[in-house]
Amino acid sequence: MVLLRQLLGDVLRRLRVRQARTLREVSTLARVSLGYLSEVERGQKEASSELLASICGALGVPLSQVLREVSDQFALAELQHAPVLADVPEHERLPIPDSVSTTISGPEFEGFPEVKDMVAA
């Protein structure tokens, strides 16, 4: 069974680590306790939408980008019948884009081509 809180925590942690930022720095900027942020990143606590928005603000990424990554990972895990993301090696996870496109249009955006491409690979 795929656990949403673990997928979300993993995405948040990877974003923070990619930015070379500490838990303390992000927790201070997000105005959340260091311990609670750590539990969210480890998938032990469910984060409210307000808390997620605050963490995303501290990381400087749109909440929509985080949710899109979580959704893609969730779909991939379901397609691969993976029990949890923690069991999926880093090289098999979808990358987190450095920037977010502001336009989504055209025939190439039918469904989720990223997931289809990964399953086909």
Side-chain angles (χ1 to χ4, degrees):
M1 179 170 149
V2 178
L3 297 178
L4 184 60
R5 70 176 186 262
Q6 289 183 325
L7 294 172
L8 182 58
D10 189 64
V11 169
L12 292 172
R13 180 176 44 261
R14 285 191 293 136
L15 282 167
R16 179 181 59 77
V17 169
R18 178 177 287 166
Q19 294 177 10
R21 297 172 79 186
T22 65
L23 269 172
R24 184 171 309 283
E25 179 184 358
V26 174
S27 70
T28 299
L29 290 171
R31 295 186 174 150
V32 62
S33 76
L34 186 138
Y36 196 81
L37 178 58
S38 175
E39 288 179 313
V40 167
E41 283 192 0
R42 288 181 281 135
Q44 295 178 338
K45 294 285 184 184
E46 298 278 351
S48 69
S49 57
E50 292 87 358
L51 179 63
L52 287 175
S54 184
I55 295 169
C56 289
L59 291 170
V61 296
L63 177 57
S64 61
Q65 177 182 339
V66 171
L67 295 177
R68 187 176 307 113
E69 170 67 12
V70 170
S71 176
D72 290 347
Q73 294 292 346
F74 199 93
L76 183 60
E78 287 178 327
L79 289 172
Q80 293 178 341
H81 303 288
V84 292
L85 182 65
D87 294 336
V88 178
E90 180 72 28
H91 69 276
E92 291 182 15
R93 298 179 190 173
L94 293 174
I96 297 174
D98 292 329
S99 64
V100 178
S101 173
T102 57
T103 59
I104 298 176
S105 61
E108 70 277 2
F109 188 77
E110 287 187 339
F112 299 95
E114 307 87 18
V115 174
K116 289 179 188 174
D117 292 344
M118 290 201 64
V119 172

